[in-house]
Amino acid sequence: RVGVWSPVFRGSASPSPMASTDSALADVIQRVFRVTLVDPGPSGSGERGSWSDLFYLESLAMELVTEGQEPPFVVTPVLLERALFARLNTASGDFPAEWQHDPELAPFPWLLASYNRCDVETRKTRSRDMAFATATSETLGNCFDMCVSYSGLVLNPATQGMFPQPAQNEQRGALQLFDALAGTGSFAELTNQWGGSLPNGFLNHFGDTLQNEGLSEILTPVLAQLPLMIKRLSPLGDTHNPLNVLVSIAMSKPCALVLASHPNWKPNGAENDARKTDGRAFEQNSIVGPFFRCAALPDDPPVVVGPNGIPMRMPLGQGNVEQAPDIRHALFTGLDKKRQNDLDGAHAAIRTNCALVREGLFQTMYALLRHGGEAREAVVGWLAMWCDENVGRSKMRIDATKTASHGGAVNVSSIAARLAAPFCDPGSLKYRKINPDYTRSKKCRLDVRETTRISASDAQVVSGALTETEEPETQFGFICECFFLTARAMHLGYVKCAAEHTSLARELQDRQRQMGDTDAMRDTWAASIPGGPNQFQMAQFERRVGEMKQELEKAHGNYQMFDATLLDPVLLGETCRFYRLVAVWLRWVGEGSLTNGGASPLASPVKGHVETGDGTVDATTQVGGAAAAIVTGGSLLPTPVPKSWASLPEHLVDDLCEFLLYVQRFARRGPGRNAIDAEISTCLDDFVNLFVLLLGSPEYVKNPYLRAKFVEILRGWLPGDRDDRQYEYVPRFAALFEGGNATATKNLIPSLLRLYVDIEFTGGANQFYDKFNIRHQIGEMCEYLWRIESHQNAWQTLATRDETFYVRFLNMLINDAIWLLDESMKKLPELREFAGLINDTAGWMTRPEADRTEREGANRQNERALRSDLTLAKVHVGMMGYTSATIAGPFLRPEMVERVAAMLNYFLLYLAGPERKQLKFADKEKMKELAWDPGEMLGQIVDVYLNLFGNDAGGVFVAAIAADGRSYRHEVLCETVSILKSLGTRTAGDIAKFEQLAEQCRVSKNAAETEEADLGEIPDDFLDPIMCTLMTDPVLLPSGDTMDRTNITRHLLTDETNPFTRQPLTVADLVDNETLKLEIEKWIAERKRVARE
């Protein structure tokens, strides 16, 4: 009935003629405000149509009669304000009975409804009479203004009591506006009429009109209540209205300014504010915090063990409430019974609803930014404070009671990324406005005092801070600040949640394994109790099993929530585009472009670098080439490292790596892989360029584990084998390494081998084992790259131009291969022994249970270690095999050839010697499970023998094999020939060549024994003091000691210290001992002459 005018005239009153403009306008006004100056007569007859829908303004009608005017009266534009004033001054008790339950009884609801009817009338006006249309428009405009102005008077605390209101409305005061926004109480029926919290355009009009007349006083208490609209809602709830309200407020600049200046915008914004908060309190108490918290990620209270040993959940704060509908309960219960289509539908529902929430948040923050000034400052300040308050999210273990929720953090990082989107396209070159000195400046909004820097120490950070003269005169631009704020938000938000998802995946596996073990041990546990478990014991056992099932189901649900949220293709795309910007900008900064006045990164080539035609870096110098520049202390990027780069937060690079690793581990294995592949494919070259340059510039990244992540990412992009269907072949990935990226083609191999050497000493507690894992990844990369001619050429160039470095690399490769193979050969007999024990079932069951359990545990550990060692060993021995075919020279150097020969002989003795049967299992499947194939390993060893023998023009390799007194056996070489023939894995030519090698070794051994007999006893002065062998090339050490050059050089490959004094020592410090050398040569000649005579 609202908005329809059908008055019933009584007495002498009759309808006003509609011909005149005033009468027509009066009809419009009376419909809009539901008022009349004509008495409708007595009411209460019980019939709906017996009373007027309009309220009779009796007091105004009497005033008009007193003024001498003749009825009937109508509310013309001239009487409009008097009519509104009369209506507003009517107490609720003076309204007729039929009005007492009308939702428009109170002044503010009536004014809101009138504003809506005014809007309806505006859209209805379709008159061809221009004069009437203009008059109607002016009148309706005046009606709009009146509704807003009087609403301000009704709501403003300063004018409270000016107009009578029902008690409940009087008590609510300005909060009636909140009730209208929320659609609660008497406003519920009204808001249904116009389909929103407020009539169309009301809030903007309200703000513009009252911005200097009490807007702040009205909105301040309203905004404080705004979080209540969404605090208890999950994305599956009705979030449309709360978000629409928030966006509407932000769209109105006057309202936005009140929002920005509200004390709860940043709850502890003032420096001297006694209220101190943390990330969780900030999320709960900030006006927009609960809106950001509305997400589909788990926000469970942490569990701690109480003093009585019973687990207890810690509260997340007084303001924290559960959201409904509960997503885990609504979508992810009974997962074991759900089909994949059901899960896909649940994921789609979450992504759709979360996208609506993020869109509302983005529109809010973007609207504030567009207003500029204080509103923009509020957005930037809010983001900075959120980051600072949530610094605890960067820790390994998050304290959920003091940090924002996972969902809130992801939403913040997503909105920040969208705000940064306009300058994320590298082609726009807007990234040049991002000043890397931001984190060195006092004007940096972020607290980065405890942040690890990419290559600067704490002392260097302090000394490298901007001086007063270096500080910019004005604040940093929005693009610069938005970039660093987004990077920080990503670090605390999306990237941290990705790490939690990864951790949850491991937890889920552990819980499933634990559940399986518990079910499997049920019978064993029952049998271990004499007489069997009693009822109480069984109940306790079953209760614990039930708890474990609940925990497992909850973990499954949490995992699905992370899956649905983080693997949303839209969210992945936003994050990917931002980190592409990070990669391009980091390269731009690293190449010294800031010092070139913002020119193209390669417009002014730095020393040791030349620009190629395709805009990539070629680290070729005039004195040694790319390889020499990298491995002899050089760098692909300019040195020394600029302070602006060194002081950047390390997480800029680390988060980029973590995101790409997360994509490889999760996103590319899910149903949305095509979308993320399409997104990643446009960014691949930018990522690869950065990683190769930083791999080849170790001074720029001090953390070796971070550099190792570059390799892990690059390995994940290996394209697979196009001829092997077991592995997917990705042409876009193949293009990266097969000539499509000039930076990788020229510099990847030298950079990888540089890291292989540098990773020897990481400083970490597990550095010995870490290096094997990292080198395994490098080995897999190298194995693929060796098949590509351009990379093989780069490898050969490196070995030729920097033989010193390459021999050092080769020494470490051999060290690793020896250790890994030796550990494997020792574990194999132990595993074989255990297999024999358990095969004897009767004997095995007679052993005590504790002994069986201990042996089974030790065997499982041995199996895991053996599988790992063999996998790593195959990569290392394989690298020796394929490189020795064309790069044999470094293997045959005096300081290397004896070690290589001794290693090959030692393991050949294992694989082809009399004890080789100890390395085999009767169970062939077990050998396959352990990745142990003796024939394959023997073939790899033989390949190295043959490759070096084929390049041994001087016979040094044959002599070294024969001189190995520990492991050389001529009969083992002969037996190897027989094994190769029986296996059929090598050609007849290779077998014949190996037979030739065996024969030459036999001859060399005989000749060496003859020479040893000829020389007889060697004078002590001619013996190497450490190896006790005859020196052939003696050198003096700075300490005055003398050693054979081969022995000391081999020692320095691993340990650059004097073996006698432990002082630093390099090859350059060695001095030829020509006098002693001549004496030794003279003595040898004399002994041989005597032997001949």
Side-chain angles (χ1 to χ4, degrees):
R1 63 182 176 81
V2 177
V4 179
W5 183 46
S6 55
V8 179
F9 292 93
R10 298 293 179 181
S12 59
S14 59
S16 59
M18 303 300 292
S20 69
T21 299
D22 284 348
S23 296
L25 294 177
D27 290 344
V28 172
I29 292 172
Q30 292 176 158
R31 285 198 301 272
V32 167
F33 291 102
R34 290 182 65 195
V35 294
T36 181
L37 291 175
V38 177
D39 184 1
S43 61
S45 62
E47 296 182 10
R48 181 76 173 179
S50 64
W51 53 274
S52 173
D53 185 55
L54 308 182
F55 175 64
Y56 173 46
L57 301 175
E58 184 178 4
S59 61
L60 179 57
M62 292 177 64
E63 287 180 15
L64 294 175
V65 171
T66 303
E67 292 170 3
Q69 299 187 38
E70 292 293 329
F73 304 116
V74 291
V75 184
T76 62
V78 175
L79 293 175
L80 174 59
E81 189 159 11
R82 293 180 65 181
L84 265 63
F85 200 77
R87 168 65 171 80
L88 290 169
N89 273 297
T90 304
S92 58
D94 295 337
F95 278 78
E98 62 268 19
W99 273 85
Q100 292 302 315
H101 300 289
D102 195 293
E104 298 182 28
L105 176 65
F108 182 57
W110 169 66
L111 289 169
L112 269 186
S114 299
Y115 191 97
N116 181 62
R117 288 189 290 270
C118 191
D119 183 54
V120 173
E121 291 291 338
T122 300
R123 293 196 296 271
K124 286 197 316 184
T125 303
R126 294 289 187 274
S127 176
R128 294 183 178 180
D129 185 344
M130 292 302 297
F132 175 73
T134 301
T136 303
S137 177
E138 292 177 355
T139 299
L140 290 175
N142 198 22
C143 292
F144 280 128
D145 293 339
M146 292 285 185
C147 290
V148 169
S149 298
Y150 280 105
S151 292
L153 292 174
V154 170
L155 298 175
N156 194 336
T159 56
Q160 189 171 5
M162 174 178 286
F163 302 113
Q165 301 185 63
Q168 63 270 25
N169 295 81
E170 186 78 25
Q171 184 180 6
R172 293 295 288 170
L175 290 179
Q176 292 180 83
L177 179 58
F178 172 76
D179 296 337
L181 291 168
T184 59
S186 61
F187 294 92
E189 182 179 341
L190 293 176
T191 53
N192 288 335
Q193 296 175 18
W194 51 73
S197 55
L198 293 174
N200 180 45
F202 178 84
L203 196 59
N204 279 332
H205 200 160
F206 189 80
D208 292 340
T209 302
L210 301 177
Q211 56 183 317
N212 298 317
E213 299 178 11
L215 180 64
S216 178
E217 290 79 0
I218 297 170
L219 277 185
T220 296
V222 173
L223 294 175
Q225 300 293 311
L226 207 58
L228 296 177
M229 298 179 67
I230 201 167
K231 185 168 285 189
R232 297 182 181 276
L233 292 177
S234 76
L236 297 183
D238 183 12
T239 60
H240 173 75
N241 188 52
L243 291 167
N244 187 53
V245 169
L246 184 64
V247 173
S248 299
I249 291 173
M251 290 288 190
S252 167
K253 184 173 182 178
C255 295
L257 291 175
V258 177
L259 174 64
S261 61
H262 196 284
N264 285 354
W265 174 257
K266 295 189 299 182
N268 63 342
E271 293 182 1
N272 58 353
D273 197 332
R275 295 176 299 168
K276 294 300 177 183
T277 187
D278 52 40
R280 176 64 64 167
F282 185 82
E283 182 179 73
Q284 293 170 352
N285 299 328
S286 170
I287 290 176
V288 294
F291 286 86
F292 276 93
R293 181 174 175 262
C294 184
L297 287 178
D299 189 26
D300 301 316
V303 177
V304 297
V305 179
N308 56 358
I310 299 176
M312 301 186 305
R313 291 198 178 275
M314 297 291 290
L316 292 176
Q318 295 181 352
N320 200 77
V321 294
E322 293 186 1
Q323 297 174 320
D326 184 281
I327 292 178
R328 186 168 52 222
H329 178 75
L331 299 177
F332 299 123
T333 54
L335 287 172
D336 54 335
K337 300 177 182 178
K338 289 186 181 292
R339 297 172 301 175
Q340 186 59 46
N341 287 343
D342 297 330
L343 286 179
D344 293 343
H347 286 189
I350 286 177
R351 290 169 183 173
T352 300
N353 286 279
C354 287
L356 293 175
V357 173
R358 290 197 298 270
E359 182 62 27
L361 291 171
F362 170 72
Q363 292 297 338
T364 298
M365 303 304 256
Y366 184 64
L368 290 170
L369 283 176
R370 292 195 63 180
H371 294 318
E374 296 178 13
R376 170 178 287 195
E377 175 65 22
V379 173
V380 178
W382 189 92
L383 288 172
M385 178 165 283
W386 185 91
C387 292
D388 286 346
E389 297 294 345
N390 284 287
V391 67
R393 287 188 59 83
S394 64
K395 297 180 179 179
M396 186 72 70
R397 294 180 64 87
I398 298 176
D399 184 353
T401 63
K402 296 182 179 179
T403 57
S405 61
H406 290 322
V410 167
N411 281 341
V412 169
S413 59
S414 173
I415 301 314
R418 288 191 64 181
L419 294 177
F423 56 88
C424 278
D425 180 10
S428 69
L429 302 182
K430 291 181 180 179
Y431 63 83
R432 295 179 179 177
K433 297 182 180 181
I434 303 170
N435 192 335
D437 288 330
Y438 181 73
T439 54
R440 299 171 59 212
S441 171
K442 296 178 182 178
K443 296 180 180 179
C444 175
R445 295 178 188 267
L446 295 168
D447 184 358
V448 293
R449 290 172 296 179
E450 302 299 323
T451 302
T452 303
R453 306 308 174 98
I454 195 168
S455 63
S457 64
D458 292 341
Q460 290 171 330
V461 170
V462 174
S463 63
L466 295 182
T467 63
E468 292 297 329
T469 56
E470 292 174 329
E471 285 281 0
E473 296 180 0
T474 59
Q475 283 292 118
F476 289 92
F478 173 74
I479 289 179
C480 179
E481 292 202 292
C482 185
F483 172 80
F484 283 100
L485 288 172
T486 303
R488 189 69 166 171
M490 283 289 182
H491 177 61
L492 303 172
Y494 188 95
V495 174
K496 184 60 180 178
C497 287
E500 291 291 309
H501 191 193
T502 305
S503 177
L504 183 58
R506 291 193 292 267
E507 177 190 338
L508 195 56
Q509 290 178 341
D510 292 341
R511 288 187 181 276
Q512 289 171 327
R513 184 167 53 251
Q514 184 183 17
M515 192 73 230
D517 292 345
T518 302
D519 285 338
M521 67 175 287
R522 185 187 299 269
D523 294 337
T524 305
W525 168 76
S528 67
I529 301 176
N534 57 37
Q535 186 176 359
F536 175 76
Q537 290 172 323
M538 282 301 300
Q540 288 289 92
F541 184 87
E542 295 300 337
R543 181 184 63 81
R544 179 55 188 148
V545 170
E547 291 174 352
M548 291 174 63
K549 288 182 178 178
Q550 290 179 354
E551 292 167 357
L552 179 60
E553 183 174 6
K554 181 179 178 181
H556 267 298
N558 289 346
Y559 185 85
Q560 291 297 330
M561 292 167 73
F562 273 104
D563 246 13
T565 301
L566 299 186
L567 300 184
D568 182 348
V570 175
L571 207 57
L572 284 168
E574 292 171 356
T575 309
C576 183
R577 288 187 289 275
F578 175 74
Y579 279 117
R580 181 191 188 189
L581 168 68
V582 171
V584 171
W585 180 77
L586 285 172
R587 181 187 177 192
W588 180 73
V589 174
E591 289 174 343
S593 304
L594 194 66
T595 61
N596 294 335
S600 172
L602 299 171
S604 302
V606 297
K607 181 180 179 180
H609 295 67
V610 296
E611 183 180 5
T612 62
D614 56 3
T616 58
V617 176
D618 180 4
T620 303
T621 67
Q622 295 179 350
V623 293
I630 294 174
V631 299
T632 57
S635 172
L636 289 177
L637 294 172
T639 54
V641 179
K643 291 181 180 179
S644 56
W645 170 279
S647 296
L648 289 172
E650 185 184 74
H651 71 74
L652 275 174
V653 182
D654 194 31
D655 292 344
L656 164 62
C657 294
E658 287 297 326
F659 169 70
L660 292 175
L661 288 172
Y662 178 72
V663 168
Q664 291 179 357
R665 295 166 182 162
F666 289 86
R668 293 202 71 247
R669 299 179 183 179
R673 59 169 301 169
N674 291 335
I676 189 59
D677 277 355
E679 193 72 54
I680 287 285
S681 66
T682 62
C683 314
L684 279 176
D685 286 300
D686 295 315
F687 293 144
V688 170
N689 288 337
L690 177 69
F691 294 154
V692 172
L693 291 174
L694 293 182
L695 277 172
S697 308
E699 300 87 352
Y700 276 70
V701 180
K702 66 180 180 182
N703 185 349
Y705 292 106
L706 181 52
R707 291 169 62 204
K709 288 182 182 179
F710 304 158
V711 178
E712 186 175 358
I713 294 167
L714 292 172
R715 188 191 65 160
W717 287 334
L718 292 182
D721 190 342
R722 69 179 75 202
D723 298 323
D724 189 348
R725 294 184 179 181
Q726 181 180 356
Y727 302 100
E728 179 192 21
Y729 180 76
V730 184
R732 179 66 181 92
F733 292 170
L736 281 176
F737 306 107
E738 297 177 6
N741 185 290
T743 302
T745 300
K746 293 177 181 294
N747 304 310
L748 182 53
I749 282 293
S751 298
L752 289 172
L753 300 190
R754 172 71 176 268
L755 179 60
Y756 190 103
V757 172
D758 291 347
I759 209 70
E760 179 73 16
F761 301 107
T762 63
N766 299 315
Q767 66 175 13
F768 181 77
Y769 298 100
D770 290 340
K771 72 175 184 179
F772 288 118
N773 294 327
I774 296 169
R775 286 174 174 171
H776 175 243
Q777 295 170 1
I778 294 174
E780 288 189 329
M781 284 286 298
C782 290
E783 183 179 357
Y784 167 76
L785 296 174
W786 181 262
R787 291 178 280 174
I788 302 169
E789 183 179 0
S790 57
H791 291 288
Q792 190 175 139
N793 292 338
W795 198 320
Q796 292 171 342
T797 301
L798 170 64
T800 303
R801 293 185 176 178
D802 198 339
E803 199 167 337
T804 300
F805 165 81
Y806 194 78
V807 169
R808 189 180 178 202
F809 153 73
L810 200 58
N811 181 67
M812 292 180 179
L813 177 66
I814 293 171
N815 286 344
D816 287 355
I818 291 173
W819 190 89
L820 292 166
L821 284 174
D822 199 32
E823 287 294 301
S824 301
M825 298 302 113
K826 291 176 181 177
K827 290 185 178 69
L828 283 166
E830 295 177 15
L831 292 174
R832 191 170 184 271
E833 178 186 0
F834 179 81
L837 289 175
I838 61 173
N839 286 336
D840 179 10
T841 307
W844 176 252
M845 295 307 295
T846 60
R847 292 177 176 271
E849 181 183 357
D851 180 55
R852 295 200 307 268
T853 302
E854 182 179 355
R855 285 177 175 270
E856 287 171 348
N859 185 70
R860 284 194 296 269
Q861 184 175 353
N862 277 341
E863 286 183 353
R864 286 194 297 268
L866 177 64
R867 193 180 298 110
S868 174
D869 290 345
L870 285 173
T871 301
L872 297 174
K874 288 175 185 177
V875 172
H876 286 71
V877 177
M879 188 184 298
M880 292 177 62
Y882 58 74
T883 57
S884 61
T886 55
I887 311 176
F891 288 89
L892 302 177
R893 285 173 64 96
E895 64 269 29
M896 290 301 301
V897 67
E898 291 180 6
R899 291 207 67 224
V900 174
M903 168 202 164
L904 297 174
N905 289 344
Y906 179 71
F907 292 112
L908 190 67
L909 185 60
Y910 266 111
L911 296 167
E915 302 297 325
R916 66 178 183 273
K917 293 183 180 180
Q918 295 294 322
L919 306 180
K920 293 184 178 181
F921 295 84
D923 186 354
K924 301 301 181 183
E925 288 300 319
K926 190 66 176 179
M927 293 178 63
K928 186 176 181 180
E929 178 187 337
L930 295 172
W932 172 230
D933 185 345
E936 179 187 12
M937 182 60 68
L938 177 66
Q940 288 186 311
I941 296 291
V942 167
D943 287 343
V944 181
Y945 270 114
L946 295 177
N947 290 339
L948 297 182
F949 178 56
N951 289 278
D952 184 24
V956 293
F957 181 56
V958 170
I961 293 174
D964 176 21
R966 184 180 70 161
S967 302
Y968 170 71
R969 305 283 190 279
H970 175 67
E971 59 273 18
V972 172
L973 293 179
C974 295
E975 182 64 21
T976 301
V977 172
S978 300
I979 296 173
L980 291 175
K981 290 179 179 179
S982 64
L983 291 175
T985 56
R986 293 296 180 271
T987 65
D990 286 342
I991 295 175
K993 186 176 177 182
F994 195 83
E995 286 181 303
Q996 183 183 357
L997 168 65
E999 177 59 24
Q1000 289 192 19
C1001 289
R1002 185 189 64 78
V1003 172
S1004 178
K1005 176 66 174 177
N1006 292 338
E1009 289 176 348
T1010 301
E1011 182 177 2
E1012 183 178 357
D1014 291 346
L1015 294 179
E1017 184 176 353
I1018 303 172
D1020 290 344
D1021 291 345
F1022 296 169
L1023 291 173
D1024 184 277
I1026 292 180
M1027 301 303 294
C1028 294
T1029 56
L1030 177 65
M1031 293 185 288
T1032 58
D1033 188 6
V1035 292
L1036 281 170
L1037 279 59
S1039 60
D1041 299 285
T1042 298
M1043 285 188 67
D1044 189 72
R1045 183 184 298 277
T1046 297
N1047 295 332
I1048 185 60
T1049 304
R1050 184 186 305 123
H1051 164 79
L1052 293 177
L1053 290 174
T1054 304
D1055 184 4
E1056 291 189 326
T1057 61
N1058 189 318
F1060 301 100
T1061 65
R1062 307 309 300 168
Q1063 295 299 310
L1065 180 68
T1066 66
V1067 173
D1069 299 324
L1070 305 178
V1071 178
D1072 293 339
N1073 192 337
E1074 295 290 351
T1075 302
L1076 182 58
K1077 184 177 182 180
L1078 291 174
E1079 291 179 7
I1080 293 173
E1081 290 175 350
K1082 183 177 179 181
W1083 176 81
I1084 292 174
E1086 177 62 22
R1087 296 300 298 171
K1088 287 183 176 181
R1089 184 187 63 78
V1090 172
R1092 287 194 301 271
E1093 291 178 354

